Amino acid sequence: MIQHKNILLAFYGDDFTGSTDALEFISNAGATAMLFIKPPTAAQLAQYPSLNVIGIAGATRSLATPEMKDELLPALVQLKATGAKHVHYKVCSTFDSSPATGSIGKAMDIAQQLFPDKPIPVLGGMPALGRYCVFGNLFARMGIGSNGTIYRLDRHPSMMNHPVTPADESDLILHLQKQTSNRGCLIDIIQQTNPVKEWMPATAAECDFVLLDALRDDDLERTGEWLEQQAQQRSTLFSIGSSGIEMALGKYWNATGKLRRVQQWADPGIADPLLVVSGSCSPITTGQIEYATRSGFQLVELNASAAIDSTIDLKKVIHQVNDLLKDRKHVLVHTGTRKAKNLPSKILGSTLGLIAKAAAEAGATKRIIIAGGDTSSYAARAMEIDAVSMIAPLVSGAPLCRAYSANKAIDGLEVNFKGGQVGADDYFALCVRGKK
């Protein structure tokens, strides 16, 4: 990759759904942004000279810690080579990770090989998604884009029972220090009432990373100003956090005139029909599946264990799905009651992706929803998607996107990647309409 003079921000997302979340907030701010499945080549970037934000939809969230370096380090090298002043490691807004899987601390260790300046900013909240960091502790609403109850993270009914990385600590500095030897300090909401130039704590010289609270959307413009100040003092500012980084920078760049916010997106219209493939184990997604059933969706249950053991008759499932779609039925493929903890995300996600790809190649649908943060990255790769850009907002954190692919059946496809915590019960019905 070569330097691209227009790039303001380059980010790596630790899964696909989280990456489209970041894509949405920076696109809403007016950036010309594209999210790639793999680090884009110089030839790919040359096709899109107007880009000022690029992202890579990665898979580190589902990787064992020893596997992360081979995936992440080359991607960060490529992102740094763009010449962007900001390079962001985008994590889930609930900081899903553990010392063994998807370790954010390990990602920090890897990044320090390229970005040695300290302290590394870590933004610990995203109010627009119902994620609030107060005095270093993270709180989360039940269901992004809903009116659910707000819980401290380690008491959140869904997150404390996450099948891979259950939340057992709401203090994000303690959470991260279980995963790295790096030391953290805090810029809390009280400090953030001071002038931005006074935010850095006196203990910062002793810290490797600094956590920033985030409570209100309106506060994030000042966070963006602080991040921009830090970037001006370094060759490249590396940061960690949710899409709050994109929202903060976007707000500040809007205020300074660097970007002009999008006022209205075009109506994408109704899906006729819609295909949903779901590998999510979240109780929120379960509620959405139940609502979709009552709304007339045709359910196709995928035996996840059989998929893992390679004993599933995939051709039979594909034939059943495509027949229903050709009859203009909305179809939802899910893992049903056979879901189990710690099923390999790669195999399950790839299986769902092959089902989705076959539907598109058969011309049975033009809009596909992939539900499940841990499986989405692999589903996108199985569908032969090279990149996506935003078409329209649906629910905060999960925009409707256009797919780019060398496969003509996939190129131009409307796709939506939904994390397990995203949306109210009527989410899939909303995706049929294609707008809020």
Side-chain angles (χ1 to χ4, degrees):
M1 186 184 293
I2 58 174
Q3 285 202 4
H4 192 299
K5 64 180 181 180
N6 296 325
I7 299 296
L8 300 172
L9 166 68
F11 69 88
Y12 177 99
D14 66 356
D15 76 348
F16 207 112
T17 58
S19 301
T20 58
D21 164 17
L23 176 70
E24 174 180 16
F25 285 103
I26 202 64
S27 296
N28 277 333
T32 303
M34 187 170 287
L35 177 66
F36 294 88
I37 301 297
K38 297 178 181 179
T41 64
Q44 283 179 300
L45 284 182
Q47 295 178 48
Y48 309 103
S50 64
L51 286 178
N52 43 35
V53 173
I54 64 167
I56 299 172
T60 49
R61 176 175 162 186
S62 62
L63 293 183
T65 300
E67 300 172 342
M68 289 181 61
K69 185 175 181 178
D70 288 344
E71 160 71 16
L72 182 57
L73 186 58
L76 292 179
V77 168
Q78 294 279 66
L79 293 181
K80 184 178 181 181
T82 65
K85 286 295 292 183
H86 293 268
V87 173
H88 173 211
Y89 182 70
K90 196 277 173 189
V91 302
C92 181
S93 60
T94 45
F95 277 65
D96 298 11
S97 58
S98 74
T101 304
S103 171
I104 299 170
K106 179 64 174 179
M108 186 182 297
D109 295 342
I110 293 167
Q112 285 173 318
Q113 300 176 46
L114 299 173
F115 309 100
D117 292 336
K118 298 178 182 180
I120 293 171
V122 179
L123 183 57
M126 180 45 166
L129 301 182
R131 307 311 192 221
Y132 312 97
C133 190
V134 184
F135 297 106
N137 283 270
L138 188 59
F139 295 77
R141 187 180 297 280
M142 189 70 174
I144 293 173
S146 73
N147 293 314
T149 303
I150 298 170
Y151 298 90
R152 200 177 73 185
L153 195 66
D154 56 355
R155 297 180 182 176
H156 190 284
S158 179
M159 294 314 305
M160 65 187 295
N161 293 301
H162 190 284
V164 180
T165 53
D168 60 4
E169 178 58 71
S170 64
D171 185 316
L172 290 182
I173 291 179
L174 294 181
H175 175 62
L176 294 177
Q177 287 180 164
K178 292 178 181 179
Q179 304 173 21
T180 177
S181 60
N182 284 309
R183 298 161 298 174
C185 53
L186 175 66
I187 299 175
D188 64 39
I189 56 172
I190 301 300
Q191 290 171 270
Q192 290 178 21
T193 62
N194 296 325
V196 170
K197 64 182 181 180
E198 298 176 8
W199 279 19
M200 193 69 84
T203 56
E206 303 171 8
C207 297
D208 302 294
F209 68 92
V210 57
L211 176 68
L212 293 96
D213 277 352
L215 180 59
R216 302 175 185 85
D217 279 351
D218 292 344
D219 297 336
L220 288 181
E221 182 183 322
R222 300 186 78 218
T223 301
E225 180 182 357
W226 184 85
L227 290 168
E228 189 76 333
Q229 286 186 2
Q230 296 302 306
Q232 296 307 316
Q233 298 170 16
R234 312 184 193 191
S235 57
T236 306
L237 180 67
F238 175 77
S239 61
I240 295 173
S242 71
S243 55
I245 295 284
E246 281 67 32
M247 192 170 192
L249 289 171
K251 280 178 170 289
Y252 181 68
W253 289 335
N254 289 157
T256 57
K258 186 171 283 189
L259 294 178
R260 181 174 296 179
R261 185 170 179 80
V262 176
Q263 298 301 316
Q264 186 173 359
W265 293 88
D267 183 351
I270 294 175
D272 185 26
L274 178 73
L275 172 62
V276 179
V277 293
S278 175
S280 173
C281 296
S282 166
I284 292 170
T285 304
T286 299
Q288 292 163 348
I289 292 172
E290 292 170 353
Y291 186 100
T293 304
R294 298 193 297 271
S295 301
F297 277 69
Q298 302 297 304
L299 267 62
V300 175
E301 187 173 329
L302 179 70
N303 186 331
S305 298
I308 300 305
D309 295 336
S310 300
T311 58
I312 188 172
D313 189 342
L314 190 57
K315 289 184 179 179
K316 182 177 180 180
V317 175
I318 288 172
H319 185 73
Q320 180 185 3
V321 168
N322 288 352
D323 279 352
L324 288 168
L325 290 170
K326 288 175 181 178
D327 285 340
R328 292 294 182 264
K329 305 290 186 182
H330 303 309
V331 179
L332 198 160
V333 181
H334 67 114
T335 51
T337 57
R338 297 186 178 93
K339 291 179 293 191
K341 290 186 176 183
N342 300 320
L343 288 176
S345 299
K346 183 175 182 178
I347 299 175
L348 183 56
S350 297
T351 300
L352 293 170
L354 290 173
I355 294 169
K357 176 186 171 187
E361 290 181 333
T365 183
K366 293 297 184 182
R367 185 177 299 166
I368 297 176
I369 314 302
I370 297 91
D374 292 337
T375 54
S376 59
S377 301
Y378 301 108
R381 286 165 171 77
M383 291 173 67
E384 299 180 8
I385 294 175
D386 295 324
V388 299
S389 63
M390 182 173 169
I391 294 174
L394 287 173
V395 166
S396 290
L400 189 64
C401 296
R402 179 205 189 277
Y404 297 81
S405 175
N407 184 330
K408 292 182 179 180
I410 302 299
D411 191 57
L413 188 71
E414 295 178 357
V415 290
N416 170 260
F417 295 85
K418 187 198 89 70
Q421 304 303 310
V422 173
D425 283 351
D426 66 347
Y427 184 85
F428 297 131
L430 174 67
C431 291
V432 171
R433 300 193 297 273
K435 62 179 181 179
K436 296 181 182 179

